[in-house]
Amino acid sequence: MSTQAGVGISQHHNPKVAGQTAVANALEQADITQPDFVFLFATVGYRQEILVKTVRAATGNAPLYGCSAAGIIAQGLADESNFAVAVMVVRSDELRFYHGALTGLSQSSTAVGQELGRRISQANGADAIALFLNADAITVNFDDLMTGLGQTNQQPLPIIGSLCGDNFAYQKTYQYHNEQVISDGISWALLSGNADLVTGISHGCVAVGQKRTITRAKGNKIYEIDHQPVLDVLHDYLEDDEIESWDRTAVNLGLGLVIPGLAGYGADYGGDVFIRCMMSKDEATGSVAMATNINEGSDFWVTRRDTEKMKQAAKQTAFNVLNRLNGKTPKFVLHIECDGRGKMVLPETDKQAMIAIMQETIGRDIPWIGLYAYGEVCPIKDHNCLHGFAGVLSVVC
Amino acid sequence: MTSNMPLDKNRSTDVDSLLQENSDLKRQNQKLAKQVTQLIKTENRLFQFQSSLDRQLKTYQKLTDLGNALNQACDSDTVIDLAVEFALYELEFERCIFFSLNADTQQLYVRAFDGYYDETFAKVIQTLTIPWADLFNDAHPTTPLICSAHSSDSHLKSWCSALGMDEYAAMVLHHETQSTLGLLVVGNTAEMWNYHTRVFANSSAITGLTNLSNQVSIAISNIRSYASQQKQTKELEKIVQARTQEIQQKNQFLKHTLRQLKNAQAQLIHNEKMLGLSQFVAGFAHEINNSINIIYANIDVASGYMYDLLAVIMSYQKQYPQDNHPIQRAVEDADLDFLQTDLPKLFRSTLTGAERIQNIMLSLKSFSRKNEAPRKRVNIHDGIDSALMLLEHRLHSDGNYPNIEIVKHYGTLPAVECYVAELNQVFMHLLNNSIDALQTQSESAVIPRITIATESQNNRVIICITDNGPGIPQEIQAQIFEPFFTTKDIGQGPGLGLPNSYQIIHNQHGGRLEFQSQIGLGTTFEITIPLELNP
């Protein structure tokens, strides 16, 4: 029983050349010619359909799962340019992937979640390990998605996932399923078989100022904070041009929400608050949209990243994961970083160093694929949660 | 009630104080909160400035790297490839096309392009040509063409489709002499421009593009200058090469002339010498022949006289048999019996000597051939034998040198038309040289031997004279046919034998004189001459 995995990357601007190069490198590292399953993450400078078709063709039409990202991660590399692609090929007689894609998040994230639950129920057996999930960051309501999923899938699963990125354009993100490239949807892969999953998560945010209260909200939209229009409140923290372009708003300012029942998770996560970022704003209605539902009366703190805390927490998370491996050899690592922990806040060398220390801790020779996302999904206390400004390490071993 | 008043008053004072304190704290808190928000704004700005500075620094670093790469580039194609790559990967435009200008047709044609194009459009771009006048009014435009997405210039917009760009900037690359080096066009499609550097007039991207164009212009100019210098250098090298060749040819001609002069001089000397020698030999032979004829005639007569005298003495001896008779005593004193047996032997021996002298004289005459026509059809073997006859005395041991064995492998040869005297001289020279060579190894255990082989092949005769002497050293083999070259002591020979032989065989007979020699094994001279001389 064995699993062979390999990761290849390319930064070529031509999607055909990039796809072929990344696959060739991945196959070479895995020392295989035909994979059973393919992970693909790419930034949005590429014509997505051409890239995905190229990767499919180069991998012998192996089942493919992936999404667009704000950047890609591999061993020794964290690239947030518009042109970077990472491919992981897997060949295994001990792991199985059951994968698919659905659209319609903007219409009803709940309905998508319900359909996802129905689909995975077919394969969600006793040896199910985890559900990998990518969702459109612009249109998803993560809470509704999870609610729908819970309604049709009775077997709880740890979910490792990301909200797909588009390099701070906040216009359109892409989910990959085989040769399909979709938006406003999810792509997913249910991992089953003879392996374990070890995860770790951390953020590096600190609360600033006074506690504030959401006084008017509906669904995932916030209208008022402390009885003031939410966009006016943002002006206290941001300049007009920053609010106008929004990309910096999304990565610079987070909301630290108190989630009842999840207090005391511990130092690994960094406190009792969940950090959420504001995905978009709507000038017409005077609202900002989150990726999860917001309850009126919720208390929160405006949060800022603390780079030192972020680096320390990342290092600690890697050590914690290593300890939880109990000596088992990782088959591969899926690493999801928030785009708010990349080039927007860290000088390039610091960013690379932060990624490097995690890789050195877990293992430099482990197949390692990752992405910079607009939101990170990782379970806390068996509860699948969406996080902001977080780094998630998931190790299949 | 009254008793409670101070307490209530005190309580009221405490509450007021606490409320005041609370109010102050709230104000301070709000003030701090405002300061925090200001700090957040400031921090955001700081991030933006830092990020902008980092990007600029990166761009300058990349430009410096590009400058170094361009300096190392040896040809325009490399420079253009580097420029296109820089425009895509560092300046981050989606597409880039480099046009060159055909000076004759004044058409811009695509020299290089990159960025993603589908295969069909790539083929179209490859063959795209644009008349210079359709883009520019001026022969030397100084400002770039900027066609942004919002441009209202219909002329600029009209090129978008052909270039495959919905916004573009075109930079003219000039040589310092103002000649156009090319046109660098960068731009984006509307579909992908969100993920690339946008085209705006007066933007930092256009500044970067201008820097790139300037660097590329300088690099191409330098390469052209270098190529021009190289061309001049090559032309100069060609002239020098031609002159050198001319001088070498003249030198060769002079050497040839000098060699001809030397040969002519040697030939002259030799001819004079041979003429004198021939005359001497002819005269000498004539005189000797006359003398020998007298000796021949006299011996014959003297022989008859001798037998007559012996008969007379016999008669006297019979007539006067007494022992004490004076005649008998004279017979005894003269040992007449011995005389009777020895005297005929003496005459025969004298006759043999005379015959030998006569043969030598015949050989000398044959060798000199003074009295014969210069061209004659002869038996080559006679000439070789004559030479051997003349050299007979050198073939026999004289105590210092052992006998030299002569081995003849004569083939069947037809009569050969040749200059007999000259050809005989060649045999003489070659045999003499072989004998000289063999006599330099007097202490060798090898029996000295000269092998003479002849054969006829394809209207030519080949004569090989081989000795088993010490061989000719490699370092002098190239010189042995040069006039006056000799390895012999002064007075032993002027070094004309082999050059003259070479002249005789090559020039007079149209043949070849070649040799092969191996140190310690010997030397073979091979003469090849035609059966018929050229008219």
Side-chain angles (χ1 to χ4, degrees):
Chain A
M1 302 284 275
S2 68
T3 298
Q4 288 168 277
V7 176
I9 62 107
S10 175
Q11 291 148 313
H12 203 282
H13 283 205
N14 186 316
K16 285 189 174 177
V17 178
Q20 286 164 351
T21 306
V23 169
N25 293 340
L27 291 172
E28 187 183 356
Q29 194 193 55
D31 195 21
I32 59 174
T33 53
Q34 177 58 51
D36 297 330
F37 199 75
V38 177
F39 288 77
L40 168 64
F41 301 116
T43 55
V44 286
Y46 295 116
R47 283 168 165 77
Q48 301 284 298
E49 288 81 3
I50 294 168
L51 177 70
V52 173
K53 276 184 185 172
T54 303
V55 172
R56 275 280 281 176
T59 53
N61 291 327
L64 182 148
Y65 155 85
C67 68
S68 64
I72 59 126
I73 298 169
Q75 285 282 6
L77 177 91
D79 188 334
E80 294 176 89
S81 73
N82 286 331
F83 298 92
V85 53
V87 171
M88 180 164 76
V89 293
V90 181
R91 187 176 184 86
S92 176
D93 57 5
E94 58 189 345
L95 299 178
R96 302 188 312 280
F97 293 91
Y98 174 62
H99 74 309
L102 293 163
T103 58
L105 289 175
S106 57
Q107 212 168 1
S108 171
S109 294
T110 308
V112 172
Q114 288 169 341
E115 182 58 25
L116 171 63
R118 278 190 282 274
R119 298 269 182 99
I120 65 170
S121 292
Q122 303 166 21
N124 191 5
D127 64 347
I129 299 166
L131 179 68
F132 296 128
L133 177 71
N134 300 314
D136 188 329
I138 313 297
T139 58
V140 72
N141 181 322
F142 187 77
D143 286 345
D144 289 352
L145 182 71
M146 290 297 103
T147 301
L149 175 64
Q151 288 167 354
T152 52
N153 175 54
Q154 306 306 319
Q155 181 83 25
L157 274 170
I159 299 176
I160 306 299
S162 63
L163 302 192
C164 317
D166 65 349
N167 287 41
F168 305 105
Y170 295 96
Q171 301 292 319
K172 192 174 186 181
T173 72
Y174 305 92
Q175 296 78 51
Y176 312 146
H177 169 64
N178 294 340
E179 60 279 331
Q180 273 186 285
V181 177
I182 59 172
S183 295
D184 187 31
I186 59 168
S187 59
W188 50 269
L190 176 65
L191 172 66
S192 305
N194 182 24
D196 293 324
L197 179 75
V198 174
T199 63
I201 180 169
S202 66
H203 68 74
C205 292
V206 291
V208 292
Q210 294 174 298
K211 184 176 74 176
R212 311 197 71 149
T213 305
I214 293 165
T215 49
R216 188 158 79 90
K218 187 177 182 185
N220 64 338
K221 290 187 176 173
I222 302 172
Y223 293 90
E224 287 182 7
I225 294 172
D226 293 332
H227 304 290
Q228 282 183 288
V230 65
L231 294 178
D232 290 351
V233 172
L234 290 179
H235 277 95
D236 290 344
Y237 301 92
L238 302 166
E239 299 291 354
D240 290 347
D241 59 336
E242 291 174 297
I243 296 173
E244 179 65 29
S245 63
W246 197 253
D247 57 345
R248 292 190 168 276
T249 306
V251 294
N252 279 341
L253 217 56
L255 304 186
L257 293 158
V258 177
I259 307 293
L262 292 178
Y265 177 78
D268 197 17
Y269 182 64
D272 298 335
V273 293
F274 277 73
I275 313 297
R276 297 277 158 78
C277 63
M278 296 171 282
M279 288 298 173
S280 60
K281 71 176 186 333
D282 184 347
E283 296 275 3
T285 60
S287 65
V288 296
M290 310 296 283
T292 55
N293 289 329
I294 301 296
N295 297 322
E296 284 183 359
S298 298
D299 291 332
F300 74 95
W301 282 263
V302 169
T303 59
R304 299 281 295 156
R305 298 155 314 269
D306 180 318
T307 53
E308 282 310 309
K309 186 180 176 186
M310 191 193 306
K311 286 188 272 188
Q312 284 301 322
K315 187 177 176 181
Q316 187 60 50
T317 299
F319 274 112
N320 292 343
V321 167
L322 183 67
N323 287 335
R324 286 184 210 135
L325 285 173
N326 285 327
K328 290 188 77 174
T329 304
K331 299 180 192 305
F332 62 84
V333 173
L334 177 59
H335 182 178
I336 302 166
E337 279 285 325
C338 178
D339 63 333
R341 290 157 59 93
K343 66 181 180 183
M344 283 292 192
V345 295
L346 290 172
E348 186 64 21
T349 49
D350 284 6
K351 181 184 84 175
Q352 299 288 354
M354 189 175 87
I355 300 295
I357 200 160
M358 288 191 270
Q359 294 177 337
E360 280 160 12
T361 303
I362 307 292
R364 270 295 192 189
D365 55 346
I366 310 296
W368 190 296
I369 191 169
L371 71 156
Y372 281 94
Y374 285 176
E376 301 76 53
V377 183
C378 180
I380 290 182
K381 289 198 168 182
D382 300 327
H383 186 79
N384 290 314
C385 300
L386 175 68
H387 311 268
F389 303 102
V392 173
L393 281 179
S394 58
V395 183
V396 175
C397 56
Chain B
M1 289 290 284
T2 313
S3 62
N4 290 334
M5 282 296 283
L7 185 60
D8 289 343
K9 194 177 178 181
N10 285 341
R11 276 184 182 164
S12 173
T13 307
D14 287 346
V15 168
D16 288 345
S17 171
L18 282 171
L19 284 172
Q20 183 61 43
E21 198 176 331
N22 192 23
S23 176
D24 288 346
L25 281 172
K26 273 188 177 174
R27 272 199 303 276
Q28 281 180 17
N29 209 1
Q30 281 171 350
K31 196 176 170 184
L32 279 171
K34 282 205 169 191
Q35 285 176 352
V36 166
T37 59
Q38 286 303 315
L39 278 173
I40 288 172
K41 283 187 179 180
T42 308
E43 191 191 19
N44 286 346
R45 284 286 174 218
L46 197 64
F47 273 131
Q48 284 180 38
F49 286 135
Q50 184 62 49
S51 177
S52 174
L53 281 172
D54 284 348
R55 275 200 306 274
Q56 284 178 23
L57 183 65
K58 189 183 166 195
T59 302
Y60 283 121
Q61 280 175 342
K62 294 292 181 184
L63 272 172
T64 306
D65 293 344
L66 175 70
N68 292 334
L70 291 176
N71 285 338
Q72 289 172 3
C74 299
D75 57 82
S76 299
D77 286 339
T78 306
V79 169
I80 291 165
D81 287 346
L82 284 169
V84 170
E85 188 181 321
F86 192 87
L88 292 184
Y89 286 88
E90 304 305 336
L91 299 180
E92 297 188 342
F93 291 100
E94 184 188 357
R95 290 174 174 176
C96 180
I97 308 173
F98 191 97
F99 290 92
S100 285
L101 180 66
N102 183 321
D104 296 329
T105 62
Q106 286 297 299
Q107 294 259 351
L108 290 161
Y109 64 94
V110 175
R111 181 91 172 263
F113 69 101
D114 204 354
Y116 178 72
Y117 296 86
D118 66 46
E119 285 173 13
T120 311
F121 195 53
K123 284 177 186 166
V124 174
I125 289 290
Q126 265 176 337
T127 55
L128 177 64
T129 56
I130 301 174
W132 176 265
D134 286 4
L135 273 181
F136 301 100
N137 298 322
D138 188 353
H140 305 297
T142 52
T143 54
L145 299 180
I146 307 290
C147 178
S148 68
H150 307 295
S151 174
S152 56
D153 187 328
S154 58
H155 174 247
L156 293 180
K157 282 283 183 189
S158 68
W159 289 104
C160 284
S161 172
L163 295 168
M165 301 172 187
D166 295 306
E167 59 181 13
Y168 66 88
M171 317 291 292
V172 179
L173 276 65
H174 285 300
H175 190 262
E176 55 190 7
T177 58
Q178 287 298 301
S179 64
T180 301
L181 300 172
L183 183 71
L184 182 68
V185 182
V186 298
N188 308 307
T189 60
E191 184 187 357
M192 303 304 289
W193 62 28
N194 279 340
Y195 311 111
H196 293 88
T197 302
R198 297 298 303 271
V199 176
F200 297 113
N202 303 319
S203 64
S204 60
I206 298 300
T207 307
L209 196 60
T210 306
N211 284 335
L212 171 65
S213 302
N214 290 339
Q215 287 210 33
V216 172
S217 298
I218 291 166
I220 294 178
S221 295
N222 287 343
I223 284 170
R224 287 193 180 179
S225 300
Y226 180 71
S228 173
Q229 283 175 359
Q230 286 286 96
K231 193 178 170 188
Q232 286 177 357
T233 305
K234 277 187 180 168
E235 281 171 4
L236 276 172
E237 279 174 357
K238 273 186 185 172
I239 291 169
V240 169
Q241 202 174 9
R243 285 282 168 83
T244 306
Q245 203 172 358
E246 195 181 328
I247 288 167
Q248 280 175 343
Q249 281 174 352
K250 283 183 179 172
N251 199 17
Q252 284 293 326
F253 177 73
L254 282 172
K255 277 185 179 174
H256 180 68
T257 307
L258 184 64
R259 195 161 50 239
Q260 280 185 325
L261 274 171
K262 275 188 173 182
N263 286 338
Q265 186 187 12
Q267 191 67 44
L268 201 62
I269 292 168
H270 183 71
N271 286 349
E272 283 297 317
K273 194 171 78 174
M274 292 311 293
L275 184 64
L277 187 62
S278 295
Q279 285 171 345
F280 170 73
V281 167
F284 178 73
H286 177 73
E287 289 303 322
I288 294 292
N289 266 341
N290 284 344
S291 303
I292 290 296
N293 285 337
I294 291 167
I295 290 169
Y296 257 120
N298 288 349
I299 283 177
D300 198 31
V301 174
S303 178
Y305 292 168
M306 178 195 72
Y307 285 113
D308 289 347
L309 283 171
L310 283 175
V312 171
I313 291 168
M314 296 279 285
S315 296
Y316 272 111
Q317 198 179 11
K318 282 180 182 174
Q319 202 66 36
Y320 303 103
Q322 300 90 341
D323 289 343
N324 59 350
H325 192 275
I327 289 175
Q328 199 64 24
R329 282 201 300 272
V331 166
E332 286 173 5
D333 288 346
D335 197 0
L336 187 62
D337 292 339
F338 174 75
L339 280 176
Q340 279 178 319
T341 56
D342 192 49
L343 199 56
K345 289 181 186 174
L346 198 65
F347 273 100
R348 278 197 299 277
S349 171
T350 303
L351 196 60
T352 303
E355 281 172 356
R356 183 166 169 72
I357 290 168
Q358 196 173 36
N359 283 337
I360 288 170
M361 289 305 108
L362 280 172
S363 292
L364 273 174
K365 279 176 78 180
S366 168
F367 187 76
S368 63
R369 299 278 182 179
K370 276 307 295 175
N371 51 350
E372 293 181 1
R375 289 167 64 149
K376 196 179 176 187
R377 200 171 291 278
V378 297
N379 181 351
I380 291 288
H381 295 150
D382 290 346
I384 299 170
D385 290 340
S386 292
L388 285 171
M389 172 69 82
L390 291 172
L391 293 169
E392 173 103 12
H393 66 286
R394 296 198 65 197
L395 301 174
H396 297 298
S397 170
D398 67 349
N400 293 321
Y401 310 112
N403 282 329
I404 295 172
E405 186 180 322
I406 300 293
V407 179
K408 295 178 186 176
H409 295 297
Y410 286 173
T412 306
L413 298 184
V416 178
E417 188 188 24
C418 63
Y419 294 92
V420 183
E422 282 79 358
L423 196 58
N424 288 343
Q425 284 171 31
V426 173
F427 298 146
M428 190 75 176
H429 282 311
L430 296 183
L431 289 167
N432 240 329
N433 280 351
S434 292
I435 293 166
D436 288 343
L438 290 167
Q439 288 182 345
T440 60
Q441 53 176 19
S442 56
E443 293 178 2
S444 170
V446 178
I447 298 169
R449 181 182 299 119
I450 295 173
T451 305
I452 304 163
T454 63
E455 63 175 318
S456 172
Q457 272 185 10
N458 302 326
N459 294 323
R460 305 183 82 82
V461 291
I462 300 167
I463 304 115
C464 291
I465 299 173
T466 303
D467 66 67
N468 58 351
I472 302 167
Q474 182 74 34
E475 59 271 19
I476 64 165
Q477 287 189 5
Q479 295 169 276
I480 63 168
F481 290 120
E482 286 182 9
F484 305 112
F485 176 79
T486 181
T487 57
K488 295 173 184 170
D489 293 337
I490 295 169
Q492 296 298 306
L496 294 173
L498 281 174
N500 280 325
S501 298
Y502 188 87
Q503 289 282 340
I504 289 164
I505 298 299
H506 278 253
N507 297 353
Q508 279 191 296
H509 291 84
R512 292 199 311 271
L513 174 58
E514 295 162 329
F515 73 96
Q516 287 183 331
S517 186
Q518 273 190 286
I519 294 295
L521 293 178
T523 303
T524 296
F525 279 89
E526 183 177 293
I527 300 163
T528 306
I529 53 172
L531 292 176
E532 302 283 342
L533 285 173
N534 284 331

